[in-house]
Amino acid sequence: MVRKNSRSGERKSKEKTGKRLSEHYSLEAAVFAEAGNIDRAIQSFEKAVAVDPNSADNFYNLGVLLTSRSKLPQAIDSYEKAVAINPFFTEAYNNLGGILKELGNYDDAIANYEKVLSINPKSAETCYNLASVLAKIGNINKAIETYQKAIKIQPGFLDAHNNLGNLYLELSNWQKAANSF
């Protein structure tokens, strides 16, 4: 009979306990968030990631709550940890791009939006977000192209139509502006 390595068993037991405890804190955080107690929800998610630092979802959810409290540096850190764990977590990249745009870090915002589009090229929302940054930095032609892509993916995307029309107005292209609205 082969004897089981006791340390391996202890480690697996601790991992299971950590995951269960993390799930508990995550559920607790969801209840606090639903009740509008965002600060307590943040504390619970912080406990969840402390006991299970391999949960991209918990880091993402913590980032969402931190963003809602305008704790942007901490939110960035949470989103970065989420994508480090799950490099295909498009929602985390998209939210990270939004914060970076808000902070004026346009190059990194663009990089995050482009990462999303490399994973999911049919994300109209991400095309829209990317186009808005491109327009902000003055890359109007690329912004127009990217808004058009968003509209092609989601024809009823009214904000994309509106922003595209406004860009055409800036270029004094009245006919294209009228067709965009």
Side-chain angles (χ1 to χ4, degrees):
M1 179 176 210
V2 177
R3 184 179 160 134
K4 194 174 186 181
N5 181 335
S6 63
R7 287 187 181 202
S8 173
E10 285 177 24
R11 185 173 59 244
K12 287 181 182 178
S13 176
K14 285 182 182 180
E15 287 174 10
K16 284 182 182 178
T17 302
K19 286 193 184 300
R20 284 195 302 264
L21 196 52
S22 175
E23 289 172 10
H24 165 78
Y25 289 132
S26 177
L27 291 171
E28 179 181 79
V31 170
F32 284 133
E34 188 67 29
N37 193 339
I38 302 304
D39 294 330
R40 290 285 304 271
I42 289 171
Q43 291 171 354
S44 293
F45 273 124
E46 287 172 338
K47 291 176 185 176
V49 298
V51 296
D52 182 10
N54 296 313
S55 173
D57 288 335
N58 284 340
F59 278 111
Y60 172 80
N61 290 327
L62 178 57
V64 168
L65 295 175
L66 290 166
T67 302
S68 76
R69 285 289 192 243
S70 298
K71 295 180 177 184
L72 302 184
Q74 298 95 322
I76 289 170
D77 183 57
S78 289
Y79 289 131
E80 287 177 342
K81 287 177 179 172
V83 298
I85 296 164
N86 178 359
F88 300 100
F89 203 153
T90 57
E91 294 91 344
Y93 285 115
N94 214 22
N95 289 2
L96 186 53
I99 293 172
L100 294 167
K101 175 187 170 192
E102 186 177 327
L103 294 175
N105 189 342
Y106 303 123
D107 290 338
D108 287 341
I110 289 169
N112 277 279
Y113 293 140
E114 288 176 342
K115 179 67 175 177
V116 173
L117 293 172
S118 74
I119 298 166
N120 179 11
K122 295 200 183 276
S123 173
E125 176 189 0
T126 303
C127 288
Y128 174 85
N129 292 337
L130 175 58
S132 69
V133 176
L134 292 167
K136 182 87 172 167
I137 64 171
N139 193 341
I140 303 302
N141 291 331
K142 185 72 173 166
I144 287 172
E145 177 185 316
T146 309
Y147 279 129
Q148 289 171 334
K149 183 177 177 185
I151 292 166
K152 184 176 181 181
I153 295 166
Q154 187 179 333
F157 199 154
L158 298 180
D159 287 338
H161 281 281
N162 186 53
N163 287 1
L164 178 60
N166 285 329
L167 289 179
Y168 282 131
L169 286 176
E170 284 182 31
L171 298 173
S172 300
N173 191 332
W174 316 119
Q175 186 60 46
K176 286 188 177 183
N179 291 339
S180 297
F181 292 113

